[in-house]
Amino acid sequence: MIGVVLTAFAVLGLLTVIPGPDMAVVTRAGLSGGRSAALRATFGVVAGLMAWGALTVVGLGAVLAASAEAYTVVKIVGGMYLVYLGLSTLWRSRTRPRAARTAPAPVPSSGSSWRAGFLTNLLNPKIAVFYTGLLPQLVPPGWPTAPSLALLVLVHGLLGIVWLGAYSILLTRARTTLEKPSVRKVLDRITGTVLFGFGAVVVAEAR
């Protein structure tokens, strides 16, 4: 039984550390607003996971995963949102050097970073597919399904906080270097391209 539980935690850990839109959104927040913004984005990402987890536990996640039309709509909206984040980051990198000579870069509001992380996951129907398709397979035999799914979702969220929180701290510790205009420009372009690429792929898959 212990082996089954450890295997489930290992699978969740692997899924947590694989780079994806979540890390790109946290990077975007950290570059524009520092550690607090990156941590807010992290908690937004985890809040999105919790929302999908709650829907899965009550059975609504399975309904969405089984509905081709609903899945496609959420996928397109989510992909377009990532494209928007990517384009806005690329535009920021294009205008930053000129703006930096006259005024400091604007700091995101307290809610914008959290909202970006939350919407990135909330508009990602692949999480619903993962939670309804793979997560039940990780429930140890004999354990009650709903409470076990809720526990696994919580573990996934905690792993996300630890991983992305540690990444946020490491990212912003190098802020002195990252704040150099040339470095920020390159990082913004890389992050924007990654977000745009993720979004474009999601939209293309939905067509």
Side-chain angles (χ1 to χ4, degrees):
M1 183 64 68
I2 294 179
V4 174
V5 173
L6 292 177
T7 299
F9 287 5
V11 171
L12 292 175
L14 180 62
L15 291 169
T16 300
V17 302
I18 294 176
D22 295 348
M23 185 170 287
V25 168
V26 171
T27 300
R28 179 180 185 270
L31 292 177
S32 60
R35 181 178 302 179
S36 61
L39 290 175
R40 286 195 296 270
T42 293
F43 283 104
V45 165
V46 173
L49 288 177
M50 295 299 101
W52 278 118
L55 290 175
T56 300
V57 170
V58 300
L60 296 181
V63 174
L64 175 61
S67 172
E69 293 80 8
Y71 182 86
T72 299
V73 169
V74 175
K75 201 169 186 180
I76 291 175
V77 173
M80 293 302 296
Y81 182 68
L82 290 177
V83 167
Y84 160 74
L85 289 180
L87 290 177
S88 64
T89 304
L90 290 171
W91 178 257
R92 185 179 66 196
S93 74
R94 180 174 178 268
T95 58
R96 182 183 300 281
R98 180 171 51 195
R101 287 194 282 267
T102 58
V107 177
S109 65
S110 59
S112 62
S113 298
W114 185 92
R115 185 166 55 250
F118 178 70
L119 290 177
T120 296
N121 263 348
L122 189 67
L123 297 176
N124 184 1
K126 290 184 178 180
I127 298 176
V129 174
F130 161 67
Y131 276 176
T132 58
L134 177 60
L135 207 62
Q137 309 304 316
L138 301 178
V139 174
W143 287 30
T145 301
S148 299
L149 288 175
L151 176 62
L152 290 173
V153 170
L154 288 175
V155 170
H156 194 199
L158 289 174
L159 290 173
I161 291 174
V162 172
W163 173 251
L164 292 176
Y167 173 71
S168 300
I169 293 172
L170 292 175
L171 176 70
T172 52
R173 276 187 176 178
R175 198 175 182 188
T176 301
T177 300
L178 299 178
E179 282 182 339
K180 294 179 179 178
S182 58
V183 176
R184 286 289 294 273
K185 184 175 182 180
V186 171
L187 288 176
D188 276 343
R189 288 185 174 180
I190 292 174
T191 304
T193 301
V194 169
L195 286 168
F196 179 87
F198 276 126
V201 169
V202 170
V203 172
E205 288 178 348
R207 297 178 63 182

